[in-house]
Amino acid sequence: MKPATPLTRAAILAATLIFAMLIGLWLPSEKTGRETNPKTPREIAANADVGPPRGNDPMARLRPRKKLSAEQIVAKRFALFAKKRQLLVERIAKFHKTSVPPEIEKFFELLKGDDWEATKAQFHALATRAGQYDYSTTNSPDLAPFWRPVVEAYGAAEQVRMWPAQQLLDYGNSIIDSLQPGMVYVGGTDPGCFIPTMLNETGDGDQHVMLTQNALADQNYLNYIQFLYGGQIDTLTGDQLQQAYDQYTSDAQARMQHDQNFPDEPPQLMPGENVSQNNGKFSVTGVNSVMAINGILLQDLVQQNPDLSFAMEESFPIPSTYAGGTPLGPIMELGANTGDSTITPDTAEQTVNYWETTAQTLVNSSDDPPSDPELKTYAHDAQAQANLLANNNFPDAADQLYQTALDLWPDDLGTVRDYAGFLNKQGQTDEANDLLDNFSQNNPAQSAAVSALRNSMRH
């Protein structure tokens, strides 16, 4: 056989390159869209970032890549997310034609290092000036535009420190993989907000608009999401915020007057609604009051974006979200344009099965035993879907989900509160009192809260 001529060798190389590219086209993509039957969190593989950049080497696709550990993946993705938030702060400063406050710059520099205590101290020093806490008396308007990126960076850092790496990836991906393409995600709890936000912005899949319902009643937050997502979503205005506040306070004032005028009737103000009137000035505080206003604003946001779909991970219950809502993996899809239930008996049964399987997988995993943050978070999300089913007239399914939530984390006051209220509405007063008694015995520090719950049930 004659040696290959230069032209023959070129042809062979060209054929090899075409074959390599075809192999790349045939390889399955990491994410192919929404699954109609979501897998349980431990069955969803982490989005593994692998190996260094491949440059322009056309043969690199055929060579095996080094797989990173879960710890390496999380460290890499958090570092990228922190950098993105630092760059976002710089963009905000440029937009406002100002400079980044030095204490904000210091926070991001500390975030890159290993001194967590110093990072935490710097964050809390900023928080007292940014109006994060009620006791703040030294609010600094110059910090306001930058505060939410700082919160998101710190929140992600805190979750990375609290969660085992693989469990963090599994939980975040269980949410992201439940989202339809283009769906807006509204996070609630710290893990339900910051973990998906970090993974969303550092992954190679669909990029979703990531919000939180907890801060909608804050004008600074509305300014932030307008800056970040103004071209993708019709955001809320300051006028809508004022209207939501006026709507809630008018209703709360009427209910307060009812309770004052008719003390023997069931109270209309709920625990956690702190309503007062001093010198003719009416004021509302408390988490339930704030969340009620947030709920009005969330409903406005969904309704004014009819071409978008929304999914939410609940923080505190917002009953207005249950009308038209439906379970979606570990979270829920929101219905904007209808008050009719979209949950069928089959959906309710599948939801119960999903959570039973999830709980069994978590508890029975010997290779990766569940951590407290993991158990607490999944218990909370199961409780939220129990609320959803209860408010859509699926009491048997809701009862099973409340019990599943308590099996995962029996010391959660929120689940006990909602489950006891549910049992009381079902006429199962003795069962509700037994639940409160058992919880109080095992959690004596919560006795005052249990007494308040028991008192509200009596009415």
Side-chain angles (χ1 to χ4, degrees):
M1 178 179 296
K2 295 182 180 180
T5 65
L7 179 61
T8 305
R9 287 195 295 270
I12 292 172
L13 178 59
T16 302
L17 293 177
I18 292 173
F19 177 70
M21 288 186 289
L22 287 175
I23 287 178
L25 292 174
W26 290 334
L27 289 174
S29 62
E30 186 176 8
K31 182 176 179 183
T32 58
R34 181 187 181 189
E35 298 181 12
T36 54
N37 295 310
K39 298 177 182 178
T40 59
R42 290 290 180 88
E43 294 172 325
I44 298 176
N47 292 330
D49 293 347
V50 287
R54 298 183 178 193
N56 296 319
D57 182 357
M59 302 301 293
R61 187 183 294 276
L62 299 179
R63 291 196 291 269
R65 303 175 73 181
K66 181 181 178 182
K67 186 176 179 64
L68 301 180
S69 68
E71 290 75 15
Q72 290 171 317
I73 294 170
V74 170
K76 179 180 178 181
R77 296 182 76 165
F78 170 70
L80 177 58
F81 181 71
K83 181 62 176 177
K84 283 175 172 284
R85 281 297 171 269
Q86 186 174 20
L87 291 174
L88 178 57
V89 161
E90 294 173 1
R91 283 174 49 205
I92 292 172
K94 185 177 181 180
F95 176 80
H96 288 283
K97 298 180 180 180
T98 186
S99 58
V100 179
E103 53 267 62
I104 299 286
E105 292 182 336
K106 180 181 178 181
F107 166 78
F108 280 104
E109 289 305 312
L110 287 169
L111 201 61
K112 298 175 185 177
D114 297 325
D115 192 341
W116 176 244
E117 291 303 317
T119 304
K120 186 164 60 172
Q122 181 68 8
F123 173 79
H124 286 289
L126 289 169
T128 59
R129 294 178 53 205
Q132 175 77 3
Y133 304 121
D134 290 340
Y135 58 74
S136 173
T137 57
T138 56
N139 291 355
S140 299
D142 60 315
L143 297 182
F146 310 103
W147 180 236
R148 186 63 193 181
V150 168
V151 169
E152 291 175 342
Y154 180 82
E158 193 171 47
Q159 296 305 308
V160 166
R161 293 184 62 85
M162 291 174 60
W163 284 66
Q166 188 60 58
Q167 293 175 17
L168 180 146
L169 292 170
D170 288 344
Y171 177 67
N173 287 330
S174 73
I175 291 177
I176 291 176
D177 289 350
S178 297
L179 301 178
Q180 304 166 19
M183 181 173 264
V184 178
Y185 176 68
V186 187
T189 63
D190 283 358
C193 179
F194 300 126
I195 293 175
T197 298
M198 178 181 72
L199 297 186
N200 175 70
E201 291 201 24
T202 59
D204 55 4
D206 296 325
Q207 293 292 298
H208 299 273
V209 172
M210 309 295 279
L211 309 176
T212 178
Q213 69 265 36
N214 297 346
L216 292 175
D218 179 358
Q219 181 63 59
N220 291 323
Y221 181 69
L222 298 185
N223 296 339
Y224 172 72
I225 62 176
Q226 169 62 32
F227 178 84
L228 194 57
Y229 298 119
Q232 300 171 254
I233 185 172
D234 184 8
T235 57
L236 298 166
T237 66
D239 287 343
Q240 287 175 293
L241 173 57
Q242 185 62 52
Q243 290 167 8
Y245 180 82
D246 292 343
Q247 178 183 334
Y248 172 74
T249 52
S250 176
D251 176 71
Q253 186 174 17
R255 290 184 286 119
M256 180 189 73
Q257 290 174 348
H258 168 274
D259 293 349
Q260 292 174 345
N261 295 334
F262 304 99
D264 295 331
E265 293 186 5
Q268 294 186 357
L269 285 177
M270 303 300 294
E273 286 187 292
N274 302 327
V275 181
S276 62
Q277 189 168 11
N278 295 314
N279 298 323
K281 185 178 180 180
F282 186 75
S283 63
V284 296
T285 58
V287 64
N288 282 351
S289 298
V290 173
M291 290 309 297
I293 298 171
N294 285 331
I296 295 171
L297 292 166
L298 179 59
Q299 189 174 32
D300 290 344
L301 183 67
V302 174
Q303 289 177 344
Q304 72 189 34
N305 287 277
D307 296 332
L308 296 176
S309 56
F310 288 74
M312 184 181 77
E313 190 257 359
E314 181 179 278
S315 54
F316 296 91
I318 304 178
S320 62
T321 63
Y322 300 143
T326 188
L328 183 67
I331 53 178
M332 68 178 75
E333 183 172 0
L334 302 181
N337 301 318
T338 176
D340 298 330
S341 175
T342 57
I343 304 175
T344 66
D346 285 343
T347 303
E349 181 180 1
Q350 291 171 7
T351 302
V352 171
N353 292 337
Y354 171 84
W355 281 108
E356 287 181 346
T357 303
T358 296
Q360 291 172 4
T361 304
L362 292 173
V363 173
N364 296 329
S365 177
S366 56
D367 295 334
D368 190 16
S371 62
D372 284 356
E374 185 178 40
L375 290 174
K376 289 179 182 179
T377 300
Y378 285 117
H380 174 86
D381 291 347
Q383 167 208 342
Q385 291 201 357
N387 292 339
L388 176 64
L389 293 178
N391 279 267
N392 281 277
N393 298 315
F394 290 94
D396 292 341
D399 192 286
Q400 293 179 69
L401 282 197
Y402 284 127
Q403 292 185 38
T404 297
L406 285 177
D407 288 341
L408 286 171
W409 196 256
D411 296 330
D412 182 61
L413 178 63
T415 302
V416 170
R417 174 201 64 213
D418 292 350
Y419 191 18
F422 164 79
L423 291 172
N424 192 52
K425 289 180 181 178
Q426 296 295 312
Q428 298 174 271
T429 306
D430 291 341
E431 290 83 350
N433 283 318
D434 288 343
L435 175 66
L436 294 177
D437 288 341
N438 292 333
F439 181 81
S440 184
Q441 290 173 6
N442 295 324
N443 300 273
Q446 300 280 6
S447 58
V450 171
S451 296
L453 288 174
R454 200 186 302 275
N455 183 58
S456 66
M457 284 169 45
R458 290 195 182 101
H459 293 285

